[in-house]
């Protein structure tokens, strides 16, 4: 029976644990630096360990699901826990060069590193989210996970290429969140949001621009801190390609701003399915911040 470890028990780690358990996994070990995350792991039935290396020591597969800024530290923290040569699956949204550094850290300590680029939001499909794999051990991991119905595709034997797809895509996806937030807040101020949305539907066809705007704005408000870290890795990716990250870097700033406003809003405002209610809550949080300054 395959045993698993999850390093980083945030949204993605929790969803993976849930789906692994539903798929028949009997042993799930976990480590996170946050007390709340450790409690969440226990609620999922995982065995919480005192260190990442301890959690990884008995696992066949180690999923590393931390924030982008902690990815390399997480890979290095596995030292001492990889003697069984587990697959270390790095699902973090980081630049190709960071993935390569993570791979070297894991390989140095005996693990089999697998680059994993998650190509869609995890909550809808969970463990079955589309994932591009990279590295020489990708096929072995893919074979082992066949019973769990994961949507895996080997993209390249070279570590970094799969993440290049993810990072370049994020310029558009996280950029859309940032642009929509600025667009809708300014339009609300002038009382023209309905006309703006109508014009967007004509120019960029979508079945429901109101719902799309509400959804992408809420993602930034709820997950902006993690997205900002990812966008800094995106900016690094763009810069390493010889392109000045004139847009990617400011997108990170807007994501940070959205996260701060989201923390000032109530959970019912963040969970609303109504664009007007979300804009009301965000506008109030923005004005409160401006008044405080």
């Amino acid at each position: 029976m395959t045993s698993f470890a999850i390093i980083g028990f945030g949204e993605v780690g929790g969803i993976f644990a849930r789906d692994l358990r539903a798929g028949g996994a009997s042993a799930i070990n976990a480590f996170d630096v946050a007390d709340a995350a450790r409690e969440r792991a226990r609620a999922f039935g995982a065995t919480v360990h005192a260190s990442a290396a301890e959690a990884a020591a008995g696992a066949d597969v180690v999923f590393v699901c931390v924030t982008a800024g902690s990815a390399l530290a997480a890979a290095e923290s596995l030292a001492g826990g990889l003697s069984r040569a587990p697959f270390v699956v790095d699902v973090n949204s980081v630049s190709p060069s960071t993935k390569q550094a993570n791979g070297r850290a894991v390989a140095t300590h005996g693990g089999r590193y697998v680059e994993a680029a998650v190509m869609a939001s995890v909550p809808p499909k969970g463990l079955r989210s589309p994932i591009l794999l990279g590295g020489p051990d990708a096929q072995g991991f893919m074979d082992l996970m066949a019973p769990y119905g994961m949507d895996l595709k080997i993209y390249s034997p070279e570590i970094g290429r799969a993440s290049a797809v993810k990072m370049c895509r994020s310029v558009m996806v996280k950029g859309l969140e940032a642009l929509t937030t600025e667009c809708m807040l300014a339009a609300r101020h002038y009382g023209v949001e309905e006309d703006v949305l109508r014009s967007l539907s004509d120019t960029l066809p979508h079945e429901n621009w109101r719902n799309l705007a509400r959804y992408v704005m809420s993602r930034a408000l709820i997950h902006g801190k993690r997205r900002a870290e990812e966008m800094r890795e995106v900016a690094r990716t763009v810069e390493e390609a010889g392109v000045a990250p004139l847009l990617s870097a400011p997108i990170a700033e807007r994501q940070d701003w959205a996260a701060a406003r989201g923390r000032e809003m109530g959970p019912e405002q963040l969970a609303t399915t109504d664009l007007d209610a979300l804009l009301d809550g965000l506008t109030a949080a923005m004005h409160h911040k401006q008044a405080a300054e």
Side-chain angles (χ1 to χ4, degrees):
M1 184 68 70
T2 304
S3 60
F4 297 92
I6 296 177
I7 310 303
F9 221 91
E11 181 185 41
V12 172
I15 291 172
F16 277 17
R18 178 200 68 194
D19 292 353
L20 288 168
R21 182 71 75 192
S26 59
I28 299 178
N29 301 304
F31 173 75
D32 198 294
V33 297
D35 291 339
R38 289 195 292 270
E39 287 305 313
R40 186 162 53 248
R42 292 187 182 97
F44 275 96
T47 301
V48 177
H49 294 269
S51 70
E54 186 179 299
D60 301 302
V61 176
V62 181
F63 286 104
V64 183
C65 313
V66 299
T67 58
S70 303
L72 181 55
E76 292 172 339
S77 73
L78 296 172
L82 303 178
S83 61
R84 294 180 56 189
F87 293 105
V88 177
V89 186
D90 182 356
V91 303
N92 303 297
S93 297
V94 294
S95 70
S97 63
T98 301
K99 289 279 189 177
Q100 290 161 0
N102 293 351
R104 288 191 294 271
V106 168
T108 295
H109 298 291
R112 290 179 284 176
Y113 181 83
V114 179
E115 176 187 18
V118 183
M119 299 306 296
S121 179
V122 171
K125 293 186 177 181
L127 201 63
R128 292 173 173 78
S129 301
I131 299 177
L132 301 180
L133 301 178
D137 289 303
Q139 184 65 59
F141 166 70
M142 189 171 175
D143 293 343
L144 184 65
M145 296 303 294
Y148 294 89
M150 295 184 73
D151 183 1
L152 304 174
K153 177 183 178 181
I154 296 178
Y155 187 76
S156 173
E158 178 186 345
I159 294 171
R161 290 182 57 80
S163 292
V165 177
K166 166 78 171 180
M167 293 288 96
C168 293
R169 172 185 180 274
S170 289
V171 175
M172 297 297 294
V173 174
K174 275 62 177 185
L176 177 63
E177 294 171 355
L179 287 170
T180 302
T181 299
E182 280 196 18
C183 173
M184 287 292 98
L185 281 173
R188 166 57 65 94
H189 172 80
Y190 291 108
V192 297
E193 61 264 35
E194 293 304 324
D195 290 324
V196 169
L197 289 166
R198 192 176 301 112
S199 179
L200 286 171
S201 295
D202 291 339
T203 307
L204 301 170
H206 186 275
E207 60 185 16
N208 193 326
W209 255 99
R210 283 185 64 85
N211 279 352
L212 177 63
R214 192 273 316 162
Y215 174 73
V216 299
M217 289 173 64
S218 69
R219 297 299 289 174
L221 291 167
I222 297 169
H223 301 295
K225 182 178 185 297
R226 187 177 72 213
R227 281 161 148 68
E229 288 191 14
E230 177 180 335
M231 283 309 301
R232 291 186 178 95
E233 287 290 320
V234 168
R236 179 181 300 176
T237 301
V238 172
E239 191 168 33
E240 288 174 353
V243 180
L246 300 179
L247 297 178
S248 298
I251 289 169
E253 294 179 23
R254 177 57 72 190
Q255 291 282 354
D256 265 335
W257 180 93
R261 302 294 78 74
R263 289 192 292 272
E264 297 164 5
M265 298 168 64
E268 68 285 348
Q269 292 175 318
L270 294 173
T272 184
T273 58
D274 180 68
L275 175 61
D276 290 325
L278 186 69
L279 281 170
D280 287 342
L282 178 53
T283 299
M286 181 177 68
H287 289 163
H288 180 267
K289 172 67 174 176
Q290 290 170 342
E293 294 175 344

